[in-house]
Amino acid sequence: MSAVLKRIPVKEQDPKVRAGNFEEVCLGYNSTEAVEEAKRCLNCKNARCMTGCPVSINIPAFVHEVAEENFEKAYQIISESSALPAVCGRVCPQETQCEGVCIRGLKGDAVSIGKLERFVADWARENGIRPTPAKEKNGHKVAVIGSGPAGLTCAGDLARMGYDVTIFEALHKEGGVLVYGIPEFRLPKEKVVAAEVENVKSLGVKIEKNVIIGKSVTIDELLTEEGFEAVFIGSGAGLPMFMGIPGEQANGVFSANEYLTRNNLMKAFRDDYDTPIVHGKKVVVVGGGNVAMDAARTALRLGAEVHIVYRRSEAELPARAEEVHHAKEEGVIFNLLTNPVEILTDENSWVRGIRCIRMELGEPDASGRRRPVPVEGSEFEIEADTVIMSLGTSPNPLIASTTYGLDVNRKKCIVANEENGATSKEGVYAGGDAVTGAATVILAMGAGKAGARGIDEYIRSKD
């Protein structure tokens, strides 16, 4: 393959080295590599990459500026559409979005759009460049619930429009799933997430932490007593799901949410912190998504032998191919076409293993994937002292249950209009995992942008 058809490779930590630390795996491009990669862009007149981006970044324009070494201009172009470019450049599934429809990818490798976005955002941070704020305020107040990707995006867009925006965050640290849900080796918290949050605050957004909406204050009180004209709900989906199999109440069984939150917020990855988390020697992670990969790779770094147990084949793994590849390189063992039926315990109710059954793929189900069917008589055991359940999450029902007139569906997700985030309650908008259930960071950001547009239209219509 000629040089122009092949993308510039990105340096990574050696798998044997990184399996024992929490430093970032991917090292990113330097300026020379970024410029060389950007020059591979065809500058298409009909840029399909933009249609593949949930937040509609002007990809050809920013890539062109990188090729011309105008890195600050490239950053400002990205910032017009994205509040979190350094985050998206690291955790976005570009291979199924912008890069997945890149014309260059029809003959050769797609342009490495995600790595270029990361380079630009990192360059801006290292050189003290911030997004351009709104020139003047418009006198209207909006509340945003949750400081995850949906909330930060909605708040940032509204602030740019001139709104006085306050984010209410339940935890003691802002960032939502970016802080508690994604491991340090994929998304550095202080270097990247904290800096992106500061960029949003630099637009004039205020953040109040340790405020639990539904307990500290209700949405109705925000609208009727606190002077807010509209509310955006971006509270995410933090309620874990379990299988309902025997032994799930045993000591040593975690949800992936709890395991990753303890590791991230309570710094279990640092030797100088005494964090209350079980450092299992033999860990089984049940599930096949990105969160399962994160939990497995975290347990590996804490010194465990780690098995992924997933009931479908590798072709159906929902995790990003890059994350699966990295997990395998680091030594995670994959038990595919395997489903747990019981968690085994000792006399003190501690996990001692997990009983599984082998599966085979039958006819497609409603999701379009072939349904896994148990193979009779194929049960076997995997020795384990820790089991991490990574089966998805649903929204916490607290907000919906304390807000009059807010409709939810049978999965307890808030019902909202996909185009503008409008809910059944006037002045209340919602987006991200609180509406869709657990999904990706970039889809939550897209919903945050839609919510900002909807709120702006709503308040303008009242004027």
Side-chain angles (χ1 to χ4, degrees):
M1 189 182 293
S2 67
V4 74
L5 295 180
K6 191 173 179 63
R7 66 170 56 183
I8 304 300
V10 182
K11 298 181 183 69
E12 295 179 346
Q13 274 199 78
D14 181 87
K16 292 180 180 178
V17 175
R18 71 182 191 239
N21 67 53
F22 279 83
E23 300 299 317
E24 197 165 8
V25 169
C26 178
L27 305 179
Y29 284 142
N30 60 33
S31 57
T32 301
E33 293 165 338
V35 170
E36 192 174 349
E37 177 63 19
K39 287 179 177 177
R40 295 182 58 245
C41 179
L42 296 171
N43 295 309
C44 308
K45 290 183 179 179
N46 182 21
R48 300 198 312 190
C49 55
M50 286 184 64
T51 65
C53 176
V55 296
S56 302
I57 292 172
N58 190 338
I59 294 169
F62 103 75
V63 173
H64 172 74
E65 296 303 337
V66 174
E68 296 294 318
E69 300 186 46
N70 298 325
F71 303 143
E72 182 172 353
K73 190 171 182 180
Y75 176 71
Q76 295 301 348
I77 290 170
I78 296 172
S79 296
E80 290 172 4
S81 302
S82 174
L84 307 169
V87 169
C88 288
R90 287 168 165 83
V91 303
C92 238
Q94 292 96 1
E95 66 276 9
T96 60
Q97 294 175 164
C98 54
E99 294 177 17
V101 293
C102 173
I103 295 293
R104 172 61 80 193
L106 295 177
K107 292 183 179 180
D109 295 340
V111 175
S112 192
I113 298 167
K115 297 298 188 290
L116 290 175
E117 181 181 19
R118 168 185 164 157
F119 164 77
V120 170
D122 287 356
W123 182 92
R125 181 185 67 249
E126 291 160 5
N127 287 275
I129 308 300
R130 291 192 182 276
T132 305
K135 292 181 179 178
E136 59 184 39
K137 295 290 184 183
N138 61 21
H140 295 285
K141 284 178 63 178
V142 178
V144 172
I145 301 171
S147 64
L152 288 171
T153 300
C154 183
D157 279 15
L158 288 170
R160 281 179 175 279
M161 297 175 193
Y163 289 91
D164 182 352
V165 186
T166 301
I167 296 176
F168 295 96
E169 169 56 48
L171 294 176
H172 66 284
K173 207 168 182 80
E174 57 269 88
V177 70
L178 306 175
V179 167
Y180 64 75
I182 302 176
E184 187 76 6
F185 55 83
R186 275 220 297 143
L187 188 61
K189 304 300 172 280
E190 294 303 321
K191 184 177 80 171
V192 175
V193 179
E196 298 276 70
V197 171
E198 286 302 315
N199 282 341
V200 173
K201 291 166 72 173
S202 76
L203 297 172
V205 174
K206 299 181 286 292
I207 301 180
E208 293 190 20
K209 294 173 281 189
N210 300 306
V211 179
I212 301 175
I213 301 299
K215 286 191 175 291
S216 307
V217 64
T218 66
I219 286 177
D220 292 301
E221 289 168 344
L222 290 175
L223 291 169
T224 60
E225 300 175 19
E226 301 295 332
F228 292 101
E229 297 173 65
V231 175
F232 176 80
I233 304 171
S235 51
L239 193 64
M241 298 178 184
F242 289 89
M243 294 185 69
I245 60 176
E248 274 187 319
Q249 303 301 319
N251 297 317
V253 178
F254 293 86
S255 71
N257 289 53
E258 179 187 2
Y259 192 80
L260 291 169
T261 299
R262 289 193 180 203
N263 185 72
N264 285 325
L265 286 183
M266 305 177 80
K267 298 181 173 61
F269 57 87
R270 283 177 50 172
D271 292 336
D272 57 338
Y273 270 72
D274 183 15
T275 304
I277 189 170
V278 174
H279 286 213
K281 294 302 180 186
K282 291 183 180 291
V283 175
V284 171
V285 179
V286 181
N290 289 324
V291 177
M293 300 304 142
D294 286 344
R297 296 171 68 197
T298 295
L300 187 86
R301 283 160 170 76
L302 294 175
E305 174 188 294
V306 184
H307 290 251
I308 290 271
V309 170
Y310 180 61
R311 64 187 186 139
R312 288 184 163 98
S313 72
E314 183 164 351
E316 287 82 31
L317 278 169
R320 291 183 69 189
E322 182 179 66
E323 303 307 320
V324 175
H325 172 68
H326 283 160
K328 287 183 174 181
E329 279 190 326
E330 292 162 7
V332 173
I333 302 162
F334 282 72
N335 294 89
L336 302 174
L337 288 170
T338 301
N339 204 37
V341 293
E342 181 182 4
I343 296 172
L344 307 171
T345 59
D346 62 18
E347 63 276 8
N348 297 314
S349 295
W350 279 91
V351 172
R352 66 171 180 83
I354 185 165
R355 180 175 290 124
C356 302
I357 189 167
R358 301 197 188 280
M359 312 291 283
E360 59 185 10
L361 295 179
E363 295 301 314
D365 61 14
S367 72
R369 296 181 297 176
R370 294 174 65 191
R371 185 187 302 276
V373 180
V375 176
E376 191 173 339
S378 65
E379 290 192 8
F380 68 102
E381 295 181 7
I382 301 174
E383 184 183 352
D385 54 20
T386 303
V387 174
I388 302 171
M389 291 293 187
S390 182
L391 307 169
T393 54
S394 61
N396 189 313
L398 177 62
I399 289 177
S401 66
T402 57
T403 305
Y404 178 76
L406 188 65
D407 289 347
V408 297
N409 62 24
R410 61 183 181 82
K411 295 182 178 179
K412 307 302 181 185
C413 294
I414 297 167
V415 177
N417 184 298
E418 188 176 331
E419 297 298 319
N420 63 8
T423 71
S424 57
K425 186 176 180 68
E426 183 180 349
V428 177
Y429 294 71
D433 291 2
V435 171
T436 61
T440 62
V441 167
I442 191 65
L443 289 177
M445 292 175 63
K449 291 185 77 67
R453 290 194 303 270
I455 287 171
D456 181 53
E457 291 167 1
Y458 168 70
I459 291 178
R460 284 176 180 276
S461 71
K462 287 175 61 180
D463 286 345

